Amino acid sequence: MESSISQIKKDYLDKISRAKTLKELDDIFLALFGKNGEITLLPKEFSKLTPSEKQKIGPLFNAVKTELESAIEKRREEIREVGYAELTGEGLDLQPVEVKPRKGHLHPITQFEKEIIDLFDKLGFQQFDAPHVDTDEYNFELLNIPAEHPARDLWDTLYIDSKNSGIQPGKLLLRTHTSNAQIRAMRDIKTPLRMMSLGRCFRYEAVDARHNHTFEQFEIVYVDKRVSMTNLQYLSETFLKAIFGPEIKTRLRPKYFPFVEPGAGVEGECVFCKGKGCRICGGVGWLELAGAGMIHPTVLQNGGINPSEYSGIAWGFGPERLIMLKYGIADLREFLSGDLKFLEKF
Ligand code: PHE
């Protein structure tokens, strides 16, 4: 018994002195003092000893136990002080490491809208903002869409509970288009007027790859003496060529909107089939990209402009639609998904 205690002491003091990491020391500690550790198990043998042997072995055992414990503790301190690098000779590389900051960038819609703003800024259009939460008046009534008029069905509207704001129920809504900027711009800026308004719009849509409840619009209003459909055609072409390149052809087709007369759909030649007709354009070779037209005289009047003196054009483009065509994106919902895999492509 005496010699096995001495053997344990010798072996482990040696192991402890050679340990280089705290982990190694933990393992040694367990091998000695763990549940089945060599020191832990030793006292079980004591019953076999004679009383005089016990008298000798007891203190020896205690002394070895304490010595090993303090040797481990001492070595722990050494390792902590000196550090792993010096003990192992592996040396720490303390040169500053270049940690590249993760770079963010503007959302593709924001990037695109900045380009639009730059272009129309050069053409003399000023930016104008209108509220997302607006009244029935600006979104519909003053745009020649009276209450109960069947044309309201063109916009599936989200109404706001206005009980607590003192506004008559059904009169406060999330704007369905950026056309809610039209009357405000006419009243604020006066003539001649060239304004652009970009921002979010909301509709009570059945959401799918081509429709979302939240989307962007890009509105322009141009009012001056003798403004005509020719200006609309020219601006549409200039705009679409700036986005898709000089090859793209543009046309206007008759379309009904209550606040324009005549009304038009701005169409671009399908960028996928170059006008031949494909699945995406439904075989017609053209894609409708905006609603537009000559501003209705009633709307000009509502905006404080004399329609016998001035005329105007307006349009509303969908930026998402344009980006989808430009980059071949199939699902409109990606824009608001927050999916970094999608966003990092831009
Ligand atoms: N506001 C219309 C829409 O969202 C588009 C439009 C704008 C039509 C301006 C004509 C003139 O559907």
Side-chain angles (χ1 to χ4, degrees):
M1 172 72 65
E2 202 183 328
S3 64
S4 63
I5 293 178
S6 311
Q7 196 57 48
I8 291 174
K9 176 179 151 180
K10 191 169 161 284
D11 289 353
Y12 278 90
L13 283 179
D14 187 44
K15 281 188 191 170
I16 292 166
S17 70
R18 279 187 287 117
K20 289 187 174 106
T21 65
L22 295 173
K23 166 86 181 61
E24 273 176 70
L25 280 178
D26 288 344
D27 292 343
I28 293 171
F29 184 87
L30 281 178
L32 286 168
F33 305 108
K35 202 160 143 249
N36 295 314
E38 299 207 37
I39 294 286
T40 314
L41 294 178
L42 266 179
K44 290 197 178 136
E45 315 269 312
F46 289 180
S47 56
K48 295 178 199 153
L49 300 173
T50 61
S52 68
E53 277 174 324
K54 268 187 200 160
Q55 263 185 7
K56 231 172 116 194
I57 295 294
L60 174 67
F61 171 79
N62 284 334
V64 168
K65 189 177 161 200
T66 320
E67 193 177 345
L68 287 170
E69 272 171 349
S70 54
I72 290 175
E73 204 37 57
K74 193 166 150 248
R75 188 69 185 147
R76 261 205 189 104
E77 287 308 313
E78 282 171 5
I79 292 177
R80 281 200 194 106
E81 263 171 41
V82 180
Y84 174 79
E86 258 180 58
L87 279 170
T88 57
E90 280 176 21
L92 277 182
D93 179 4
L94 295 176
Q95 290 304 307
V97 182
E98 195 196 351
V99 181
K100 287 204 177 122
R102 261 188 89 176
K103 259 207 214 150
H105 62 69
L106 293 175
H107 189 279
I109 293 181
T110 315
Q111 290 179 29
F112 186 68
E113 289 185 344
K114 279 176 86 104
E115 282 175 36
I116 296 180
I117 291 166
D118 276 358
L119 174 68
F120 279 83
D121 191 43
K122 288 194 191 103
L123 294 171
F125 286 76
Q126 76 180 78
Q127 259 183 281
F128 190 85
D129 270 338
H132 291 180
V133 177
D134 207 354
T135 58
D136 182 270
E137 229 190 340
Y138 284 110
N139 197 81
F140 292 130
E141 294 246 12
L142 294 168
L143 294 175
N144 202 25
I145 318 169
E148 315 304 335
H149 194 282
R152 292 227 173 177
D153 292 348
L154 291 172
W155 296 274
D156 296 311
T157 312
L158 292 157
Y159 289 91
I160 298 221
D161 180 357
S162 59
K163 259 192 274 125
N164 298 327
S165 55
I167 295 172
Q168 199 188 329
K171 293 287 181 201
L172 199 61
L173 44 83
L174 291 179
R175 68 170 176 190
T176 57
H177 49 188
T178 41
S179 300
N180 73 329
Q182 288 193 12
I183 296 290
R184 285 192 175 83
M186 288 178 205
R187 289 179 180 172
D188 281 15
I189 304 172
K190 310 269 189 289
T191 45
L193 160 65
R194 278 186 222 188
M195 79 88 179
M196 55 176 147
S197 193
L198 295 97
R200 281 199 166 166
C201 303
F202 312 87
R203 287 189 200 170
Y204 183 63
E205 288 279 2
V207 170
D208 63 25
R210 306 184 111 215
H211 301 88
N212 210 349
H213 48 72
T214 304
F215 58 96
E216 295 287 308
Q217 272 200 350
F218 163 45
E219 187 97 6
I220 65 158
V221 171
Y222 176 21
V223 182
D224 206 342
K225 290 183 174 151
R226 288 187 294 280
V227 169
S228 72
M229 288 297 269
T230 320
N231 298 92
L232 181 62
Q233 171 69 23
Y234 173 78
L235 276 178
S236 305
E237 239 179 78
T238 309
F239 178 44
L240 293 180
K241 283 191 159 77
I243 299 171
F244 296 108
E247 243 84 281
I248 188 146
K249 293 198 184 86
T250 317
R251 73 176 186 185
L252 301 176
R253 287 229 302 166
K255 185 149 192 215
Y256 172 69
F257 294 97
F259 34 93
V260 282
E261 180 56 39
V266 180
E267 298 190 351
E269 194 180 61
C270 178
V271 286
F272 296 101
C273 63
K274 301 270 179 290
K276 287 192 199 79
C278 67
R279 201 173 46 81
I280 294 174
C281 58
V284 288
W286 295 87
L287 290 164
E288 191 179 304
L289 301 172
M294 298 288 304
I295 300 174
H296 197 287
T298 307
V299 176
L300 286 175
Q301 231 154 16
N302 290 342
I305 295 169
N306 180 357
S308 49
E309 204 183 337
Y310 286 96
S311 56
I313 53 169
W315 80 34
F317 267 93
E320 282 109 337
R321 191 92 196 272
L322 298 172
I323 306 175
M324 285 169 84
L325 290 175
K326 186 163 179 178
Y327 297 108
I329 296 161
D331 195 331
L332 177 92
R333 289 166 292 190
E334 301 245 52
F335 288 110
L336 294 182
S337 67
D339 180 0
L340 287 180
K341 270 201 222 103
F342 170 73
L343 295 173
E344 277 165 1
K345 287 186 205 149
F346 295 89

